[in-house]
Amino acid sequence: MARTIVITSGKGGVGKTTTSAALAMGLAQRGHRTAVIDFDVGLRNLDLIMGCERRVVYDFVNVINGEANINQALIRDKRCDALYVLPASQTRDKDALTKEGVGRVLEELSKGFDYIVCDSPAGIEHGAHMAMYYADDAVVVTNPEVSSVRDSDRMLGILSSKSRRAERNEPPIREYLLLTRYSPERVAKGEMLSVNDVREILSLDLLGVIPESKAVLNASNSGVPVILDVESDAGQAYSDAVGRYLGEDLPHRFLDIKKKGFFSRLLGG
Amino acid sequence: MGLLDLFRSHRQRGTAAIAKERLQILVAHDRATRNQPSYLPELQREILQVIRKYVDVDMNAVSVNYEQDETREVLELNIVLPEAATARGG
């Protein structure tokens, strides 16, 4: 039986797809057979971030409609044998994802995989609902910014009331906070909510803090999940997050300001 | 913190503190309404209708609050009657 993880946020542009790609790659690199699914029907992007956009033949909706079988639609990652991508459809019919259809596909994937990572679209509409409905675990991606924190809290309410686990009175979805685009410099100046502020407001377990990093744009430019950039702060932070998800007890890094020279410190620049 | 920051910080409080305060209030309010039973608005409307049969009160005179802790649920009903409560049709 696979464990199903939804990467969600409510607000758009906070790093859901970047996170889905990084966590899925991280799990697969550690030898777990992992499938990552794009639920953003009509606005597919996970294939671009994963660098497999030119290998898409069939998609999620084709499989649901019985136009292709799951093995025809899954794209095997060229860098890691244990990782497969199921791209979203570019159809404009947003109701193409049915609850039964999604359930059937997840059920089938569950037989051959250890982890299924569901990349949720933004918002709280149908697509986002489908992405979280069958989840066992949820990673709530949040920026240290008021609208993102508020939307994350809204999403937590939905996770606890509208999921299959909630409907069946099963143990609730395990929820984790992943704080992205974090800037310790701005936190020190009192310009940005700190990790502890966000944690306190949302009262969630902290899976990781991803620093604001040039590596993220560089990675998406070239279609390489940022976790593969092992030299980068963001890559290492994602790698730590994967370790923590799997139960390792790792200290949080990149929360403090990088050491600066004497003059820049004197001038506070 | 550099020398310049030392002067800056005396002038104004960081905006992060304001953000935190606003979010704490907002999230607490959102969570309180989220856990309310869905019949609450209709209950409030019907109670108001009954009261207005006897006393001339306006829409804001009745407030219905719902609170929940681990062991109990409290439904609090607060009706503000006008100063000289004039009975209708009497």
PDB file of all heavy atoms in Angstrom, chain A residues 5 10 20 23 26 28 34 60 66 72 74 98 100 113 130 140-141 152 164 176 189 192 204 208 213 229 232 246:
ATOM      1  N   ILE A   5       0.490  11.587  -0.432  1.00  0.00           N
ATOM      2  CA  ILE A   5       0.851  12.872   0.167  1.00  0.00           C
ATOM      3  C   ILE A   5       0.342  13.989  -0.733  1.00  0.00           C
ATOM      4  O   ILE A   5       0.660  14.011  -1.921  1.00  0.00           O
ATOM      5  CB  ILE A   5       2.393  13.032   0.257  1.00  0.00           C
ATOM      6  CG1 ILE A   5       3.057  11.784   0.841  1.00  0.00           C
ATOM      7  CG2 ILE A   5       2.767  14.277   1.034  1.00  0.00           C
ATOM      8  CD1 ILE A   5       4.558  11.707   0.560  1.00  0.00           C
ATOM      9  N   GLY A  10      -3.587  26.483  -0.909  1.00  0.00           N
ATOM     10  CA  GLY A  10      -4.609  27.505  -1.080  1.00  0.00           C
ATOM     11  C   GLY A  10      -4.114  28.575  -2.029  1.00  0.00           C
ATOM     12  O   GLY A  10      -4.554  28.676  -3.165  1.00  0.00           O
ATOM     13  N   SER A  20       6.636  19.703  -4.793  1.00  0.00           N
ATOM     14  CA  SER A  20       6.232  18.361  -5.220  1.00  0.00           C
ATOM     15  C   SER A  20       7.379  17.669  -5.946  1.00  0.00           C
ATOM     16  O   SER A  20       7.681  16.498  -5.676  1.00  0.00           O
ATOM     17  CB  SER A  20       5.030  18.439  -6.169  1.00  0.00           C
ATOM     18  OG  SER A  20       3.938  19.046  -5.533  1.00  0.00           O
ATOM     19  N   LEU A  23      10.331  16.941  -3.324  1.00  0.00           N
ATOM     20  CA  LEU A  23      10.061  15.872  -2.355  1.00  0.00           C
ATOM     21  C   LEU A  23       9.957  14.514  -3.048  1.00  0.00           C
ATOM     22  O   LEU A  23      10.480  13.511  -2.551  1.00  0.00           O
ATOM     23  CB  LEU A  23       8.778  16.160  -1.557  1.00  0.00           C
ATOM     24  CG  LEU A  23       8.783  17.388  -0.638  1.00  0.00           C
ATOM     25  CD1 LEU A  23       7.515  17.425   0.205  1.00  0.00           C
ATOM     26  CD2 LEU A  23      10.005  17.432   0.267  1.00  0.00           C
ATOM     27  N   GLY A  26      13.375  13.400  -3.919  1.00  0.00           N
ATOM     28  CA  GLY A  26      14.082  13.035  -2.693  1.00  0.00           C
ATOM     29  C   GLY A  26      13.675  11.660  -2.186  1.00  0.00           C
ATOM     30  O   GLY A  26      14.515  10.844  -1.795  1.00  0.00           O
ATOM     31  N   ALA A  28      12.354   9.232  -4.005  1.00  0.00           N
ATOM     32  CA  ALA A  28      12.790   8.236  -4.984  1.00  0.00           C
ATOM     33  C   ALA A  28      14.291   7.971  -4.875  1.00  0.00           C
ATOM     34  O   ALA A  28      14.734   6.828  -4.968  1.00  0.00           O
ATOM     35  CB  ALA A  28      12.423   8.699  -6.391  1.00  0.00           C
ATOM     36  N   THR A  34       8.227   6.018  -6.223  1.00  0.00           N
ATOM     37  CA  THR A  34       7.407   7.215  -6.038  1.00  0.00           C
ATOM     38  C   THR A  34       6.770   7.673  -7.350  1.00  0.00           C
ATOM     39  O   THR A  34       7.439   7.712  -8.376  1.00  0.00           O
ATOM     40  CB  THR A  34       8.281   8.371  -5.478  1.00  0.00           C
ATOM     41  OG1 THR A  34       8.918   7.925  -4.277  1.00  0.00           O
ATOM     42  CG2 THR A  34       7.444   9.607  -5.171  1.00  0.00           C
ATOM     43  N   PHE A  60      -3.267  12.261 -17.139  1.00  0.00           N
ATOM     44  CA  PHE A  60      -4.118  11.823 -16.037  1.00  0.00           C
ATOM     45  C   PHE A  60      -5.573  11.616 -16.497  1.00  0.00           C
ATOM     46  O   PHE A  60      -6.199  10.589 -16.207  1.00  0.00           O
ATOM     47  CB  PHE A  60      -4.045  12.905 -14.950  1.00  0.00           C
ATOM     48  CG  PHE A  60      -4.561  12.506 -13.592  1.00  0.00           C
ATOM     49  CD1 PHE A  60      -4.890  11.191 -13.280  1.00  0.00           C
ATOM     50  CD2 PHE A  60      -4.695  13.480 -12.599  1.00  0.00           C
ATOM     51  CE1 PHE A  60      -5.354  10.862 -12.011  1.00  0.00           C
ATOM     52  CE2 PHE A  60      -5.154  13.147 -11.339  1.00  0.00           C
ATOM     53  CZ  PHE A  60      -5.497  11.845 -11.052  1.00  0.00           C
ATOM     54  N   GLY A  66     -10.213   6.109 -19.538  1.00  0.00           N
ATOM     55  CA  GLY A  66      -9.976   4.801 -20.144  1.00  0.00           C
ATOM     56  C   GLY A  66      -9.383   4.872 -21.549  1.00  0.00           C
ATOM     57  O   GLY A  66      -9.381   3.888 -22.285  1.00  0.00           O
ATOM     58  N   GLN A  72       0.970   3.449 -19.728  1.00  0.00           N
ATOM     59  CA  GLN A  72       1.245   4.253 -20.927  1.00  0.00           C
ATOM     60  C   GLN A  72       1.417   5.725 -20.563  1.00  0.00           C
ATOM     61  O   GLN A  72       2.134   6.456 -21.241  1.00  0.00           O
ATOM     62  CB  GLN A  72       0.081   4.125 -21.920  1.00  0.00           C
ATOM     63  CG  GLN A  72      -0.026   2.762 -22.576  1.00  0.00           C
ATOM     64  CD  GLN A  72      -1.287   2.671 -23.429  1.00  0.00           C
ATOM     65  OE1 GLN A  72      -2.403   2.760 -22.920  1.00  0.00           O
ATOM     66  NE2 GLN A  72      -1.106   2.511 -24.725  1.00  0.00           N
ATOM     67  N   LEU A  74       2.364   7.032 -17.424  1.00  0.00           N
ATOM     68  CA  LEU A  74       3.448   7.354 -16.490  1.00  0.00           C
ATOM     69  C   LEU A  74       4.746   7.597 -17.248  1.00  0.00           C
ATOM     70  O   LEU A  74       5.113   6.817 -18.130  1.00  0.00           O
ATOM     71  CB  LEU A  74       3.655   6.206 -15.505  1.00  0.00           C
ATOM     72  CG  LEU A  74       2.647   6.074 -14.357  1.00  0.00           C
ATOM     73  CD1 LEU A  74       2.905   4.779 -13.596  1.00  0.00           C
ATOM     74  CD2 LEU A  74       2.724   7.273 -13.410  1.00  0.00           C
ATOM     75  N   THR A  98     -12.961  13.118 -11.903  1.00  0.00           N
ATOM     76  CA  THR A  98     -14.080  12.710 -11.064  1.00  0.00           C
ATOM     77  C   THR A  98     -13.541  12.038  -9.812  1.00  0.00           C
ATOM     78  O   THR A  98     -12.432  11.512  -9.821  1.00  0.00           O
ATOM     79  CB  THR A  98     -14.978  11.692 -11.796  1.00  0.00           C
ATOM     80  OG1 THR A  98     -14.160  10.561 -12.138  1.00  0.00           O
ATOM     81  CG2 THR A  98     -15.565  12.286 -13.063  1.00  0.00           C
ATOM     82  N   GLU A 100     -14.501   9.306  -8.406  1.00  0.00           N
ATOM     83  CA  GLU A 100     -14.336   7.864  -8.646  1.00  0.00           C
ATOM     84  C   GLU A 100     -13.099   7.604  -9.503  1.00  0.00           C
ATOM     85  O   GLU A 100     -12.313   6.695  -9.228  1.00  0.00           O
ATOM     86  CB  GLU A 100     -15.567   7.274  -9.350  1.00  0.00           C
ATOM     87  CG  GLU A 100     -16.862   7.328  -8.553  1.00  0.00           C
ATOM     88  CD  GLU A 100     -17.403   8.740  -8.359  1.00  0.00           C
ATOM     89  OE1 GLU A 100     -17.204   9.587  -9.268  1.00  0.00           O
ATOM     90  OE2 GLU A 100     -18.003   9.009  -7.302  1.00  0.00           O
ATOM     91  N   PHE A 113       3.554   1.336  -5.992  1.00  0.00           N
ATOM     92  CA  PHE A 113       4.398   2.416  -5.477  1.00  0.00           C
ATOM     93  C   PHE A 113       4.377   2.483  -3.953  1.00  0.00           C
ATOM     94  O   PHE A 113       3.446   2.001  -3.311  1.00  0.00           O
ATOM     95  CB  PHE A 113       3.935   3.767  -6.047  1.00  0.00           C
ATOM     96  CG  PHE A 113       4.291   3.943  -7.495  1.00  0.00           C
ATOM     97  CD1 PHE A 113       3.399   3.586  -8.495  1.00  0.00           C
ATOM     98  CD2 PHE A 113       5.533   4.441  -7.859  1.00  0.00           C
ATOM     99  CE1 PHE A 113       3.734   3.738  -9.835  1.00  0.00           C
ATOM    100  CE2 PHE A 113       5.879   4.597  -9.190  1.00  0.00           C
ATOM    101  CZ  PHE A 113       4.981   4.239 -10.186  1.00  0.00           C
ATOM    102  N   MET A 130      -9.968  17.448  -5.220  1.00  0.00           N
ATOM    103  CA  MET A 130      -9.613  16.100  -5.681  1.00  0.00           C
ATOM    104  C   MET A 130      -8.202  15.705  -5.219  1.00  0.00           C
ATOM    105  O   MET A 130      -7.952  14.564  -4.864  1.00  0.00           O
ATOM    106  CB  MET A 130      -9.680  16.031  -7.214  1.00  0.00           C
ATOM    107  CG  MET A 130     -11.077  16.010  -7.787  1.00  0.00           C
ATOM    108  SD  MET A 130     -12.046  14.624  -7.174  1.00  0.00           S
ATOM    109  CE  MET A 130     -13.034  15.388  -5.925  1.00  0.00           C
ATOM    110  N   VAL A 140       1.606  21.509   3.785  1.00  0.00           N
ATOM    111  CA  VAL A 140       1.026  22.817   3.513  1.00  0.00           C
ATOM    112  C   VAL A 140       2.164  23.798   3.259  1.00  0.00           C
ATOM    113  O   VAL A 140       2.922  24.128   4.155  1.00  0.00           O
ATOM    114  CB  VAL A 140       0.148  23.279   4.697  1.00  0.00           C
ATOM    115  CG1 VAL A 140      -0.467  24.637   4.409  1.00  0.00           C
ATOM    116  CG2 VAL A 140      -0.949  22.260   4.979  1.00  0.00           C
ATOM    117  N   VAL A 141       2.291  24.210   1.991  1.00  0.00           N
ATOM    118  CA  VAL A 141       3.382  25.102   1.595  1.00  0.00           C
ATOM    119  C   VAL A 141       2.954  26.543   1.853  1.00  0.00           C
ATOM    120  O   VAL A 141       1.903  26.977   1.395  1.00  0.00           O
ATOM    121  CB  VAL A 141       3.737  24.910   0.107  1.00  0.00           C
ATOM    122  CG1 VAL A 141       4.917  25.796  -0.289  1.00  0.00           C
ATOM    123  CG2 VAL A 141       4.044  23.445  -0.188  1.00  0.00           C
ATOM    124  N   SER A 152      -3.395  29.190   4.099  1.00  0.00           N
ATOM    125  CA  SER A 152      -2.963  27.899   4.628  1.00  0.00           C
ATOM    126  C   SER A 152      -3.893  27.451   5.749  1.00  0.00           C
ATOM    127  O   SER A 152      -4.254  26.276   5.844  1.00  0.00           O
ATOM    128  CB  SER A 152      -1.530  27.981   5.167  1.00  0.00           C
ATOM    129  OG  SER A 152      -0.645  28.179   4.100  1.00  0.00           O
ATOM    130  N   ARG A 164     -11.457  12.159   2.607  1.00  0.00           N
ATOM    131  CA  ARG A 164     -12.068  10.839   2.777  1.00  0.00           C
ATOM    132  C   ARG A 164     -11.885  10.352   4.211  1.00  0.00           C
ATOM    133  O   ARG A 164     -12.781   9.754   4.803  1.00  0.00           O
ATOM    134  CB  ARG A 164     -11.460   9.837   1.792  1.00  0.00           C
ATOM    135  CG  ARG A 164     -12.126   8.467   1.894  1.00  0.00           C
ATOM    136  CD  ARG A 164     -11.705   7.547   0.793  1.00  0.00           C
ATOM    137  NE  ARG A 164     -10.304   7.153   0.929  1.00  0.00           N
ATOM    138  CZ  ARG A 164      -9.771   6.149   0.236  1.00  0.00           C
ATOM    139  NH1 ARG A 164     -10.498   5.479  -0.624  1.00  0.00           N
ATOM    140  NH2 ARG A 164      -8.494   5.838   0.383  1.00  0.00           N
ATOM    141  N   TYR A 176       1.698  18.844   7.773  1.00  0.00           N
ATOM    142  CA  TYR A 176       3.024  19.416   8.008  1.00  0.00           C
ATOM    143  C   TYR A 176       3.124  20.797   7.373  1.00  0.00           C
ATOM    144  O   TYR A 176       2.558  21.039   6.310  1.00  0.00           O
ATOM    145  CB  TYR A 176       4.108  18.544   7.376  1.00  0.00           C
ATOM    146  CG  TYR A 176       4.165  17.122   7.853  1.00  0.00           C
ATOM    147  CD1 TYR A 176       3.506  16.123   7.150  1.00  0.00           C
ATOM    148  CD2 TYR A 176       4.899  16.785   8.986  1.00  0.00           C
ATOM    149  CE1 TYR A 176       3.570  14.798   7.569  1.00  0.00           C
ATOM    150  CE2 TYR A 176       4.965  15.465   9.410  1.00  0.00           C
ATOM    151  CZ  TYR A 176       4.303  14.483   8.703  1.00  0.00           C
ATOM    152  OH  TYR A 176       4.374  13.187   9.112  1.00  0.00           O
ATOM    153  N   LYS A 189      15.437  41.949  10.566  1.00  0.00           N
ATOM    154  CA  LYS A 189      15.080  43.371  10.542  1.00  0.00           C
ATOM    155  C   LYS A 189      13.642  43.620  10.995  1.00  0.00           C
ATOM    156  O   LYS A 189      13.189  44.761  11.030  1.00  0.00           O
ATOM    157  CB  LYS A 189      15.220  43.914   9.115  1.00  0.00           C
ATOM    158  CG  LYS A 189      16.653  44.120   8.674  1.00  0.00           C
ATOM    159  CD  LYS A 189      16.651  44.722   7.276  1.00  0.00           C
ATOM    160  CE  LYS A 189      18.056  44.746   6.702  1.00  0.00           C
ATOM    161  NZ  LYS A 189      18.018  44.939   5.236  1.00  0.00           N
ATOM    162  N   MET A 192       9.792  40.504   8.227  1.00  0.00           N
ATOM    163  CA  MET A 192       9.162  39.266   7.755  1.00  0.00           C
ATOM    164  C   MET A 192       8.797  38.395   8.947  1.00  0.00           C
ATOM    165  O   MET A 192       9.544  38.336   9.930  1.00  0.00           O
ATOM    166  CB  MET A 192      10.148  38.522   6.841  1.00  0.00           C
ATOM    167  CG  MET A 192       9.606  37.250   6.217  1.00  0.00           C
ATOM    168  SD  MET A 192      10.831  36.391   5.206  1.00  0.00           S
ATOM    169  CE  MET A 192      10.517  37.104   3.605  1.00  0.00           C
ATOM    170  N   LEU A 204       1.352  23.942  13.652  1.00  0.00           N
ATOM    171  CA  LEU A 204       1.630  22.772  12.816  1.00  0.00           C
ATOM    172  C   LEU A 204       3.050  22.279  13.050  1.00  0.00           C
ATOM    173  O   LEU A 204       3.923  23.051  13.437  1.00  0.00           O
ATOM    174  CB  LEU A 204       1.555  23.173  11.343  1.00  0.00           C
ATOM    175  CG  LEU A 204       0.227  23.185  10.620  1.00  0.00           C
ATOM    176  CD1 LEU A 204       0.465  23.496   9.155  1.00  0.00           C
ATOM    177  CD2 LEU A 204      -0.462  21.841  10.754  1.00  0.00           C
ATOM    178  N   GLY A 208      10.009  21.697   7.200  1.00  0.00           N
ATOM    179  CA  GLY A 208      11.236  22.311   6.712  1.00  0.00           C
ATOM    180  C   GLY A 208      11.056  23.782   6.428  1.00  0.00           C
ATOM    181  O   GLY A 208       9.938  24.287   6.348  1.00  0.00           O
ATOM    182  N   SER A 213      16.027  31.550  -2.563  1.00  0.00           N
ATOM    183  CA  SER A 213      17.284  31.111  -3.173  1.00  0.00           C
ATOM    184  C   SER A 213      17.248  31.235  -4.681  1.00  0.00           C
ATOM    185  O   SER A 213      16.236  30.948  -5.323  1.00  0.00           O
ATOM    186  CB  SER A 213      17.529  29.642  -2.789  1.00  0.00           C
ATOM    187  OG  SER A 213      18.564  29.088  -3.563  1.00  0.00           O
ATOM    188  N   ASP A 229      20.266  19.943  -6.966  1.00  0.00           N
ATOM    189  CA  ASP A 229      21.337  20.926  -6.838  1.00  0.00           C
ATOM    190  C   ASP A 229      21.873  20.830  -5.410  1.00  0.00           C
ATOM    191  O   ASP A 229      21.522  21.618  -4.535  1.00  0.00           O
ATOM    192  CB  ASP A 229      20.782  22.323  -7.131  1.00  0.00           C
ATOM    193  CG  ASP A 229      21.873  23.393  -7.136  1.00  0.00           C
ATOM    194  OD1 ASP A 229      23.029  23.070  -6.780  1.00  0.00           O
ATOM    195  OD2 ASP A 229      21.568  24.538  -7.503  1.00  0.00           O
ATOM    196  N   SER A 232      23.324  23.748  -3.387  1.00  0.00           N
ATOM    197  CA  SER A 232      22.509  24.912  -3.041  1.00  0.00           C
ATOM    198  C   SER A 232      21.853  24.777  -1.674  1.00  0.00           C
ATOM    199  O   SER A 232      21.567  23.679  -1.202  1.00  0.00           O
ATOM    200  CB  SER A 232      21.426  25.121  -4.106  1.00  0.00           C
ATOM    201  OG  SER A 232      20.460  24.091  -4.016  1.00  0.00           O
ATOM    202  N   LEU A 246      10.601  11.204   6.606  1.00  0.00           N
ATOM    203  CA  LEU A 246      10.825   9.768   6.798  1.00  0.00           C
ATOM    204  C   LEU A 246      11.214   9.437   8.240  1.00  0.00           C
ATOM    205  O   LEU A 246      11.593   8.310   8.540  1.00  0.00           O
ATOM    206  CB  LEU A 246      11.908   9.281   5.830  1.00  0.00           C
ATOM    207  CG  LEU A 246      11.516   9.341   4.340  1.00  0.00           C
ATOM    208  CD1 LEU A 246      12.719   9.058   3.460  1.00  0.00           C
ATOM    209  CD2 LEU A 246      10.385   8.358   4.034  1.00  0.00           C
TER     210      LEU A 246
END
